[in-house]
Amino acid sequence: MSHKILIDKFIQGQLNEEEKTIFEQLLNDDPDFNQEVEFMLHLKQAIKINEEKQIKKHLKKIEQKQKNKKIWQWISGIAASIIILLSSIIWYERPSKMNQIFEEYYTTYPNIISPEVRSLTQENSLTSKAFILYDSGKYDEASALFYESYLMDSTEHLLFYYAMSLLAIDNTEKAINVLENHHFNHEQRFNEIAEWYLALGYLKTNQSELAKEHLKHITSSHQYKAKEAQEILEKLK
Amino acid sequence: MHETELLKKIKLNRENALEEVYLKHRKDFFKYASGFSIHQEDIADIYQDSIIVLYDNIISGQLKELTSSLKTYLFSIGKYKILNFIKLKNRNQSFTDDSLIECLPSHDEHINEEQISLFINAYQLLGPKCQKILRLFYYEGLSLNEIKKFMTYSSTDVVKSQKSRCIKQIKDLIKDSK
């Protein structure tokens, strides 16, 4: 084995027992070999120090970034709360107005299904229970049952009444979500009604632009509650 | 992430992997070190040095398999460094950053400072390719075959001759500066 390879193996800590003996002997007997080993050890050490400095520089940069981020978060936190404070002062008038309109126009949609259901056999007692609760104003319990029965047989009006129950118990966000994401394919008559309640939901949650959009659509296509929609649009001006 | 996977990552892409480890345990380490009432800036310094020791131990093969979690391992290095830091601080109130650098493992060994700085200067004068090949071989301990794959050389013989050329270059540079 050449001296070069022997030294390389030593540097990488890969000498076996036999090679170690040869290596030690050369180290003692051969000054050139000795010098070469010393050179390589120095080189290894120098590279190590240099690399460690590089890593340190890199880590310091990361640390600085973290600090900057923290400062920035702090500043933007303050900025955000100022903006929220200002906008809540500015918008204080409007939400109350929109809420007022909501209160004025909102009525719980009547149960137009149940009589038909009752005339049929009591095939789904869960559904009829839900309607009985709805009729007696127990919307909280009704919403749970409507949801459950919708999961069971996917009749669309159950979803509609689920949303109506949610509106009645002020779970407006959830109601909006249901109404916004569902098109009634089999019971088309509910689409118009759903849009009216969707518009009301947006009023309740102070999303005036979205409310207006739906109200305009209701008016222009002469849908359910078109007249009322027009009135509200006037008031919002 | 699986931690042995992280060790692999460290070997492959140093900068990214170290950043990941650094950020992952940074908060906890600062919390831990604050218990010793050390300044934030000193904690950052100690933490950085601990990461470097972790890295050194991985590439030198000292740390092949973790018996505990990486975090535990890192924190045990950190703890040693914290205690060392406190000891130094108590001994010498006019404490400077230089004494911290002496805590780095590379300073433990007996070396000729002047001689080494000669080598460092020469190394920095080398081209990037030479620096890389020498770094991979002497510091990261990669085999010629691994270097071949890593730097996309056609054969290990090419790596070997390239390495020899780089060694010759640095020898000449050192001779010139003497």
Side-chain angles (χ1 to χ4, degrees):
Chain A
M1 190 182 291
S2 82
H3 291 181
K4 229 179 179 176
I5 294 176
L6 206 58
I7 293 171
D8 274 356
K9 275 191 153 185
F10 164 73
I11 288 289
Q12 293 200 324
Q14 284 169 348
L15 291 177
N16 60 32
E17 286 309 314
E18 193 189 336
E19 289 161 347
K20 257 183 208 165
T21 323
I22 301 168
F23 183 84
E24 270 167 36
Q25 208 161 9
L26 280 167
L27 211 54
N28 287 326
D29 302 343
D30 185 342
D32 284 345
F33 185 83
N34 192 310
Q35 210 182 346
E36 185 70 8
V37 171
E38 198 183 331
F39 175 88
M40 290 303 175
L41 281 175
H42 279 153
L43 178 61
K44 187 181 180 182
Q45 192 63 22
I47 295 173
K48 189 177 181 209
I49 291 170
N50 191 64
E51 289 310 310
E52 282 172 358
K53 272 186 191 157
Q54 295 293 325
I55 298 173
K56 181 87 181 177
K57 225 195 270 173
H58 177 61
L59 294 178
K60 272 188 175 162
K61 233 185 258 168
I62 299 171
E63 182 62 34
Q64 195 53 46
K65 249 196 274 171
Q66 285 302 107
K67 266 189 208 147
N68 293 347
K69 214 162 120 192
K70 219 174 173 184
I71 293 168
W72 181 241
Q73 272 171 356
W74 191 69
I75 292 170
S76 55
I78 289 177
S81 35
I82 291 172
I83 290 167
I84 289 167
L85 189 71
L86 283 178
S87 53
S88 58
I89 291 169
I90 294 165
W91 285 89
Y92 185 72
E93 280 300 304
R94 285 186 80 86
S96 71
K97 189 179 167 194
M98 282 196 276
N99 249 315
Q100 236 172 21
I101 296 172
F102 174 85
E103 297 298 341
E104 195 179 323
Y105 284 88
Y106 174 79
T107 51
T108 312
Y109 192 74
N111 167 13
I112 57 167
I113 302 288
S114 182
E116 301 164 32
V117 174
R118 276 183 195 143
S119 65
L120 295 167
T121 52
Q122 293 277 332
E123 58 179 49
N124 193 341
S125 62
L126 200 61
T127 310
S128 47
K129 238 187 244 166
F131 277 111
I132 291 166
L133 287 166
Y134 189 83
D135 285 338
S136 53
K138 291 175 179 160
Y139 300 112
D140 202 355
E141 293 159 72
S143 72
L145 289 188
F146 278 128
Y147 186 66
E148 221 175 293
S149 43
Y150 175 71
L151 289 182
M152 273 160 59
D153 73 359
S154 321
T155 309
E156 284 180 327
H157 67 246
L158 294 174
L159 199 64
F160 175 80
Y161 278 99
Y162 169 57
M164 291 305 107
S165 310
L166 290 172
L167 272 181
I169 56 172
D170 288 340
N171 202 337
T172 318
E173 297 283 354
K174 217 170 177 180
I176 289 174
N177 203 2
V178 173
L179 294 172
E180 188 73 271
N181 292 311
H182 196 83
H183 183 79
F184 297 92
N185 292 316
H186 300 291
E187 300 173 88
Q188 301 259 355
R189 58 181 165 154
F190 284 113
N191 284 322
E192 290 188 9
I193 307 167
E195 186 161 18
W196 165 249
Y197 280 98
L198 189 57
L200 286 180
Y202 282 132
L203 282 176
K204 181 87 187 282
T205 52
N206 303 321
Q207 303 180 75
S208 65
E209 287 313 311
L210 285 166
K212 274 184 203 166
E213 206 177 284
H214 285 287
L215 291 169
K216 274 178 198 157
H217 181 247
I218 291 168
T219 319
S220 62
S221 45
H222 307 289
Q223 286 182 181
Y224 174 74
K225 298 273 187 188
K227 207 182 90 212
E228 285 86 348
Q230 186 59 44
E231 282 173 22
I232 296 175
L233 281 170
E234 291 296 326
K235 286 184 188 180
L236 283 175
K237 268 179 188 165
Chain B
M1 191 193 353
H2 201 253
E3 281 178 341
T4 49
E5 195 181 310
L6 183 63
L7 298 186
K8 257 187 234 159
K9 266 194 180 179
I10 283 182
K11 281 196 167 182
L12 280 176
N13 187 336
R14 183 170 84 187
E15 259 67 33
N16 287 353
L18 288 183
E19 178 161 354
E20 193 177 324
V21 181
Y22 188 88
L23 293 177
K24 192 173 176 190
H25 302 296
R26 181 180 169 273
K27 235 187 193 162
D28 284 347
F29 191 87
F30 272 69
K31 219 187 278 168
Y32 172 68
S34 299
F36 295 89
S37 59
I38 304 174
H39 275 288
Q40 294 284 306
E41 267 160 47
D42 292 331
I43 295 175
D45 217 26
I46 292 172
Y47 185 48
Q48 286 153 13
D49 289 346
S50 304
I51 294 271
I52 291 172
V53 174
L54 171 75
Y55 180 67
D56 276 342
N57 289 350
I58 288 170
I59 59 169
S60 69
Q62 226 172 301
L63 175 68
K64 278 197 185 102
E65 251 172 88
L66 281 168
T67 48
S68 53
S69 74
L70 187 78
K71 186 181 170 183
T72 312
Y73 188 81
L74 177 62
F75 274 46
S76 66
I77 297 169
K79 189 181 172 187
Y80 171 78
K81 289 209 164 288
I82 288 168
L83 296 177
N84 219 348
F85 174 85
I86 294 169
K87 217 161 69 188
L88 275 167
K89 200 172 143 192
N90 288 343
R91 200 189 301 157
N92 182 8
Q93 289 299 324
S94 63
F95 171 81
T96 60
D97 268 347
D98 293 42
S99 44
L100 230 197
I101 292 167
E102 276 165 22
C103 299
L104 285 173
S106 47
H107 291 258
D108 296 345
E109 294 154 39
H110 179 71
I111 44 161
N112 183 344
E113 294 274 344
E114 214 175 311
Q115 185 88 345
I116 291 295
S117 68
L118 215 65
F119 274 75
I120 294 176
N121 290 340
Y123 175 72
Q124 285 171 344
L125 287 174
L126 290 175
K129 221 175 194 175
C130 267
Q131 280 194 7
K132 191 168 181 185
I133 206 168
L134 295 181
R135 191 193 86 208
L136 293 176
F137 188 83
Y138 288 96
Y139 182 51
E140 317 218 341
L142 296 191
S143 69
L144 294 176
N145 196 32
E146 282 171 311
I147 295 172
K148 181 195 94 183
K149 279 187 214 151
F150 205 75
M151 295 181 72
T152 58
Y153 279 111
S154 54
S155 74
T156 51
D157 282 333
V158 180
V159 179
K160 223 189 269 176
S161 57
Q162 175 70 32
K163 181 170 140 293
S164 297
R165 269 200 295 277
C166 296
I167 293 285
K168 190 176 177 313
Q169 255 187 50
I170 198 167
K171 274 185 177 165
D172 289 345
L173 280 164
I174 288 168
K175 221 184 279 164
D176 289 348
S177 63
K178 262 179 186 165

